[in-house]
Amino acid sequence: MRKPVVLVTGAAGEIGHALIYQLASEDQSAIVTVDLKPLDKQLERRVMRAFTGSILDKSLLENILAEFAVDQVFHLAALLSTRAEFTPVTAHQVNVEGTLNLLEFAQAQGRSHGRQVLFFYPSSIAAYGVDPDADDGTPIRENEATRPITMYGCNKLYCEHLGRYYARFYKQLDAEQPSGRVDFRAIRFPGLISAFTVPSGGTSDYASEMIHAASQSEPYSCFVRPDTRIPFMAMPDAVAAILELARAPHENLSQLVYNISAFNPSAQAIRQLVLHAFPGAEISFKPDHKRQAIVDSWPQAVDDSAARADWGLNPKYDLSRAFNDYLIPHISKRYESG
Ligand code: SER
């Protein structure tokens, strides 16, 4: 008998790290991971099997299929928005072809064990492309302004469509009616801020970088203007949202893709909070107009009313609680203890 497990790709990344800690603490399911990098020791202890390899390696996925019965896939592996602009073809391969591989994997799993496979997909505010001059801060709904300007945003938006295809229309002309094995659910995340990891290769990274640099007494030069405003969320709320959506009864879900958000401070407001917590911090602004244009194409605010109504999104951390109760205490402890 193959063992029933949860599969997490991109396990060593920011969200993967936090999600695995949470899943392991609940002790409900065995976790199998895939990442290009080996997991750190603390993370590795929490999983049943960690595969080091690429989601583009189909034989790796076939081996997992042969050994495990996967009921849930959290497909987190991706190249983020800044890195993707330097290597757009690689980004497309990892972000789109990788996701296609995982959707096929989920479909094959469902066929072999006969149950639906939950497929959680992290989409992003990068799926939007707003006109910065017209963005007055009115929250954007899921079906508005989906004209991304980055390779990463295009990849995310297209993979939302692929997910809908696998969930509802897969091989729709086939006599066997194979669709419906993949239960695809996606969240368009805002910028995420974690006390335990620093993102790499993203364009919303300035918030995290500012906080983590200040806590280590390193000067930081912020690559966007002080008045730049996009939605952010603290990592524990992001993980809670993933699990709330993943566990919501299917009949409660009116859509496959949901906005979520918690707070949307300006870069200047983040700086003020960091200075309050670390009074000696040196934080200056040196906008990079190219990265600025990417952030400016993301909405200042998103409408997350569907997530609140359908599956009870209710973030615990507003901006000040995120700093005072989560980021500052944990980050200070982390760097004090080396
Ligand atoms: N945080 C991501 C990035 O900056 C957007 O989803 O690329």
Side-chain angles (χ1 to χ4, degrees), residues 5 57 108 150-151 163 165 192 252 266 304 314:
V5 297
D57 177 357
T150 59
M151 179 50 114
Y165 172 74
L192 299 179
N252 291 4
S266 65
D304 59 12
N314 186 17

Side-chain angles (χ1 to χ4, degrees), residues 4-6 19-31 46 48 71-72 74 243 246-247:
V5 297
V6 169
L19 178 65
I20 287 170
Y21 270 73
Q22 181 59 34
L23 285 172
S25 76
E26 296 176 356
D27 212 17
Q28 284 180 6
S29 27
I31 305 165
R46 291 172 162 78
M48 186 166 116
D71 283 312
Q72 298 179 33
F74 295 89
L243 295 176
R247 292 167 184 173

Side-chain angles (χ1 to χ4, degrees), residues 112-229:
S112 81
H113 60 44
R115 300 182 293 275
Q116 266 204 333
V117 176
L118 176 108
F119 193 103
F120 175 79
Y121 182 68
S123 189
S124 162
I125 44 167
Y128 294 107
V130 299
D131 171 359
D133 297 329
D135 184 4
D136 60 5
T138 305
I140 292 248
R141 287 198 302 269
E142 283 88 349
N143 58 358
E144 295 175 317
T146 45
R147 291 176 65 82
I149 69 161
T150 59
M151 179 50 114
Y152 173 79
C154 294
N155 297 162
K156 289 288 175 188
L157 187 60
Y158 174 64
C159 288
E160 293 177 5
H161 292 305
L162 271 183
R164 194 178 65 247
Y165 172 74
Y166 271 79
R168 298 192 179 154
F169 304 109
Y170 183 74
K171 289 194 176 170
Q172 56 198 297
L173 299 182
D174 200 291
E176 193 207 325
Q177 290 280 327
S179 74
R181 298 197 195 281
V182 177
D183 180 2
F184 180 84
R185 304 177 183 200
I187 286 176
R188 284 195 192 142
F189 284 109
L192 299 179
I193 312 178
S194 167
F196 301 100
T197 47
V198 191
S200 67
T203 319
S204 60
D205 296 1
Y206 59 90
S208 298
E209 287 172 356
M210 209 185 272
I211 303 164
H212 285 264
S215 65
Q216 296 169 86
S217 310
E218 285 171 6
Y220 183 69
S221 159
C222 179
F223 58 81
V224 295
R225 288 189 318 268
D227 65 334
T228 305
R229 185 185 294 280

Side-chain angles (χ1 to χ4, degrees), residues 82 201-203 205 223-224 288-296:
T82 290
T203 319
D205 296 1
F223 58 81
V224 295
D288 168 336
H289 71 274
K290 293 179 179 164
R291 290 182 93 187
Q292 178 77 53
I294 290 178
V295 180
D296 286 346

Side-chain angles (χ1 to χ4, degrees), residues 37-91:
K37 288 185 296 196
L39 304 188
D40 67 49
K41 287 281 166 273
Q42 294 287 350
L43 204 55
E44 200 180 355
R45 282 203 294 122
R46 291 172 162 78
V47 310
M48 186 166 116
R49 181 84 72 83
F51 290 92
T52 303
S54 167
I55 54 170
L56 297 175
D57 177 357
K58 288 189 184 161
S59 64
L60 171 63
L61 297 178
E62 275 161 23
N63 288 344
I64 297 174
L65 185 72
E67 192 172 343
F68 300 98
V70 176
D71 283 312
Q72 298 179 33
V73 177
F74 295 89
H75 171 44
L76 311 176
L79 252 64
L80 292 185
S81 57
T82 290
R83 187 164 300 159
E85 287 312 303
F86 290 104
T87 54
V89 174
T90 306

